[in-house]
Structure formats: C-alpha cells, structure tokens
Amino acid sequence: MKKIIIIGSGFSSIASSCYLAQQGHKVEIFEKNDTIGGRARQYKKDGFTFDIGPTWYWMPDVFERFFADFGKKPSDYYQLLKLSPAYQVYFGEEDKITIGDTLEKIYTEFDRIEPGSSQKLKKFIDQAKDNYDIAIKDLVYRPGESPLELVTLETAKKLGQFFSTIAREVRKEFKNKKLVQVLEFPVLFLGAKPSDTPAFYNFMNFADFGLGTWHPKGGMYQVILGIQRLAESLGVKFNTHQNVEKILVENKTATGIIANGTEHQADIVLSGADYHHSETLLDQPYRQYSESFWEKKTFAPSSLLFYVGFDKKLKNVEHHSLFFDVDFEKHAHAIYDVSEWPEDPLFYASFPSKTDENSAPEGKEAGIFLIPLAPGIKDEQALRERYFEKIITRFEKITQQKIKKNIIFKKSFCVNDFIKEYNSYKGNAYGLANTLLQTAFLRPKLKSKKVKGLYFTGQLTVPGPGVPPALISGKLVSDLIKKYE
C-alpha cells in the first residue's frame, strides 16, 4: 500500500482516486477551491442552480463502464433523463433544425432540409459508429506511451481518415450549409476547427446522433457528487481549501507536496490540475515541457459564460439551444487564427429548468449562455457586458420574445476566472485540442519522464478534452501507477 496524493478534484482526479483506492492505496485529494469538481462545479443563487462547467452528458456508455469497474451503475448515484429533442440549432427567425432523440427523427429532419440527404446520413453514421467502436471501446483506453498503440488491424483500415479532416469528409457528402454545420458541431467538443480535426473523429457524430443527449437530474454536479460518494466508500479522503504550492522532489523522486504552507508526505504524487500549472509547482530541472512547448500547442477555446436567472418561463427554446445565425468560419477564424474577440459570435444557450425543476424556482427559468473565445484573450468587464448585450439582442429577435427586463441577476465567467479558479493555461476552458499532431502518444505524458512517482491526468494529457475522456484519463493513469510503482 502506498500513500498517494492527488492535486485537484475534477473528473480525472476523482476517477483516478477510485481506481487507486480500489488497488489498496491510501489516497488523499487536495483541492484549492471550497468545493470539489474542478471545472464541473455548481453555482447557486436565489433558488437557481447552474452547472458552472460541463452541461452536456454524452457517451453514457463511458460512465457505465466507469461505474461497472466498481460493481456499480450510474443509477446507483444519479438519475438520467434522455432529452427530447436533444438540442435545437437556430439559423435565424423561423429557421431551425431540431435534433431528435432517435436516429429516425434525425433522418426525417435531414430530409426536410435537403430531400434525400437521410441516405447519405445513414452511411455517414454507420461509419461514425464503426469508428466509435474502435476508438471508445479500445483506442482511448491506451495510455499514449507509444505510437504502436494506434496500430491495430482496425486502424490500419482507417489510415486515410487520420490524414483527411472532418470538414473534408462532411463536405464530400453534404452540400447544404446548415447540415454541414450541424455535422461539424460535435467536433467543437474536441477543441479544434473541423478543418484541423482528423476525419476519424467523426465518431463524435455517433456519440451525438446515435447515443443521444442526456441530463443528470440535479445537473452534471450530481455526477461529481456520485463519484465522490464512491471514492469515499473506497476510503479516499477529500481536503478542500488546500492550495498546493509545490511538488516536493528528492533524488529525482516525488516525496509529497506543500499545501497552504504545510508539508504532506507521499509515495506518489498525481496532479489532475492544469498540466502546465502542475509543472510550475516543480523546480525548473524537473519540468518536462518548456514555456515554448506550451506556446506552440493548439489549445481548445476559452469561453465567456453567463449564468442568468429569469423571472418567467422562456418560449421557443429547448434545454440545449445553439445559435448559428452568424458566420461560423469568421468566428472560428477569430478563435484559432488571430486570437481576437469575434465581431458576431455564435453562442450556445442552456435552460436546464426546461427539464429539471431543481434548476429554478417555479415559474422561473435558469439560463446559461456560452460564447467560445480564443484562450489568452483580453478579458474586461466592459467587454463581457458588450457581448452579453449582443447575444441577448439576437436571442430576443430569433426566439421572438422580450426577456431583458425579466433578468433577476446574471453572473459572468471568462478567461480571467478560468485562470484564477483553475490555474488554467491562458484561461482555456477545454484543455489541449485533439488535432492530428496532438493525438494519443503526441500529447503530454501521463507519467513524468524526469521524476519517479510523479504522474498527471486530465484534459491536457491522454486521451483529451471532455468529461468522458476525463474519466478515461483517470483510469489510464491509475493503470500506469499499478504497472510502474
């Protein structure tokens, strides 16, 4: 049995804590904030409840596989509701696409937009499912130690898809601009432009259309609390208000941490905090990656978020609503190519109280608005206000209702908050993008090359951004600790 200290309490950290405790280790988590969950925390005000971070529950099979490793099911910890429709995409007034909760409904909707397109979509989804089975049931559960992990009989057949892009493959089959945007949307969860994301990642389309969009009753934070209960039942100890200031190293071996000025000894240190930040907790000789290494990497976007309480129910919107009424390419260019505020931003809005009475007092609505932004961008209160005004004005026009006067309160969260709350590199929201040169073994390593007994987990390492990959990252790193320690 070894004493293991884990830095941070996001999905990767708490998932790994369960596996490591199951292996028989004594595991303690140190979290700098007052509540656990990392980016997946909660904000409560005046009877309203908001998920601060992730709001989409995709890939339910990954959560099932995680809990099954402990002889449990998600339903032992939280109740899942399948959203119907999954989400809606608005292109303007009276111009929207509804993504239903079954493939049949989605095929019908595609045919409504472009007659005959459902046949192409069926073929596309079949291929996406095939890739999903290869990727999610096998490839992503490999620790990124060697390029050979990607070489299997199945991937050999798909080699061309690693060198083509989502954008190219989608546009080969679909000519309607709206359908193209709907098919490219899930890739944004991987943190890169569709034109920079390998075509193999179209498995996200199967995750979207084939497996559906779900909502844990009480919000995504219920998943965090469920995993915490599992971890505590296995003996994991949680410490909040504990800011880790240093990772201690002796003879090139991790020996513990300093948190709030106090030393804590450990046999193994695992950081689920931002990878770049975690390395700054080490003395220079023990850091694996230079500042210029991080500078050259393609980071997933940051976000400007608003948590808004409304004093009435809103019309003409679904639980998840995407507003694509402006130029997608221009917004992507602002994020990925020039790092500036987009003139006319696409945005996403979520109204959990459409599904979940726990989210808002009776007769009221909880709204979350998100604008994707370039990481490292200038963040000022005046800019936040200007952009809120932009999106709310468009929201009113598109959904044909006045809501500005119905706002009880609003709280914003942007680049500066991501840095302050999560020590996030340049204030990124989703980690390191999954481009071809940042896939699998090309991502920062789970195991330190310079310090024995030091490991990393989370969205800047393997397998990548998103909640399901974060759970998988926790499993991968615990398997490596079992292998090497």
Side-chain angles (χ1 to χ4, degrees), residues 6 11-21 270 457 474-475 477-478:
I6 300 176
F11 274 108
S12 298
S13 293
I14 56 175
S16 62
S17 79
C18 294
Y19 287 109
L20 292 166
L270 165 60
T457 188
K475 179 180 174 68
V477 77
S478 59

Side-chain angles (χ1 to χ4, degrees), residues 226-246:
I227 301 174
Q228 180 186 22
R229 287 211 307 280
L230 171 62
E232 287 177 336
S233 74
L234 294 162
V236 176
K237 187 180 175 206
F238 286 79
N239 305 285
T240 52
H241 293 288
Q242 290 289 322
N243 185 36
V244 176
E245 294 139 353
K246 192 170 179 64

Side-chain angles (χ1 to χ4, degrees), residues 170-203:
V170 167
R171 283 167 167 74
K172 255 191 222 170
E173 297 294 335
F174 300 91
K175 300 294 173 256
N176 182 285
K177 196 176 169 187
K178 291 172 195 168
L179 297 185
V180 166
Q181 287 192 337
V182 167
L183 286 167
E184 288 182 348
F185 149 68
V187 177
L188 300 178
F189 284 105
L190 300 170
K193 283 198 292 192
S195 55
D196 290 333
T197 303
F200 182 74
Y201 282 107
N202 76 352
F203 63 72

Side-chain angles (χ1 to χ4, degrees), residues 203-429:
F203 63 72
M204 292 296 289
N205 292 108
F206 177 72
D208 176 0
F209 292 177
L211 298 174
T213 302
W214 302 74
H215 174 76
K217 198 158 188 213
M220 287 293 283
Y221 198 62
Q222 295 307 312
V223 186
I224 289 283
L225 295 178
I227 301 174
Q228 180 186 22
R229 287 211 307 280
L230 171 62
E232 287 177 336
S233 74
L234 294 162
V236 176
K237 187 180 175 206
F238 286 79
N239 305 285
T240 52
H241 293 288
Q242 290 289 322
N243 185 36
V244 176
E245 294 139 353
K246 192 170 179 64
I247 296 171
L248 299 169
V249 179
E250 278 175 35
N251 301 324
K252 297 184 181 174
T253 303
T255 59
I257 60 165
I258 297 175
N260 293 357
T262 303
E263 274 193 35
H264 300 269
Q265 298 302 310
D267 301 305
I268 293 164
V269 174
L270 165 60
S271 183
D274 175 277
Y275 205 125
H276 169 269
H277 170 72
S278 302
E279 288 226 310
T280 67
L281 303 176
L282 291 161
D283 290 336
Q284 195 76 46
Y286 302 122
R287 297 176 193 174
Q288 305 166 90
Y289 304 108
S290 65
E291 282 300 317
S292 66
F293 169 89
W294 296 110
E295 200 59 50
K296 289 178 190 138
K297 290 290 166 197
T298 303
F299 272 80
S302 187
S303 300
L304 169 55
L305 289 136
F306 296 98
Y307 311 102
V308 187
F310 295 96
D311 67 7
K312 68 170 185 182
K313 286 288 184 193
L314 304 194
K315 318 182 299 223
N316 305 332
V317 284
E318 295 297 340
H319 183 129
H320 293 302
S321 303
L322 299 159
F323 291 81
F324 284 11
D325 54 309
V326 295
D327 193 314
F328 182 96
E329 299 299 330
K330 276 189 187 165
H331 190 154
H333 177 71
I335 295 175
Y336 296 104
D337 302 332
V338 291
S339 289
E340 61 187 31
W341 283 79
E343 192 48 46
D344 293 308
L346 289 84
F347 67 97
Y348 153 66
S350 170
F351 303 96
S353 43
K354 291 275 172 202
T355 304
D356 194 336
E357 71 277 6
N358 301 319
S359 300
E362 198 174 337
K364 298 180 180 174
E365 204 86 87
I368 301 166
F369 297 83
L370 181 154
I371 301 171
L373 295 174
I377 208 165
K378 182 169 84 170
D379 172 16
E380 294 172 346
Q381 195 56 39
L383 276 167
R384 296 186 188 194
E385 292 301 326
R386 198 166 102 222
Y387 276 79
F388 184 73
E389 184 59 32
K390 275 185 192 230
I391 64 171
I392 287 297
T393 301
R394 275 168 45 208
F395 180 90
E396 286 189 329
K397 186 168 184 283
I398 291 164
T399 64
Q400 300 170 16
Q401 62 191 318
K402 295 288 181 202
I403 61 165
K404 288 180 191 175
K405 290 196 172 81
N406 301 98
I407 293 171
I408 307 167
F409 65 83
K410 79 170 188 296
K411 175 187 169 73
S412 64
F413 198 96
C414 197
V415 171
N416 293 346
D417 302 298
F418 280 102
I419 294 168
K420 178 172 161 279
E421 301 286 327
Y422 311 127
N423 296 308
S424 161
Y425 181 74
K426 290 189 175 178
N428 79 82

Side-chain angles (χ1 to χ4, degrees), residues 79-92:
Q79 186 189 341
L80 275 181
L81 311 161
K82 191 172 191 185
L83 296 185
S84 176
Y87 57 91
Q88 219 154 37
V89 186
Y90 294 81
F91 296 95

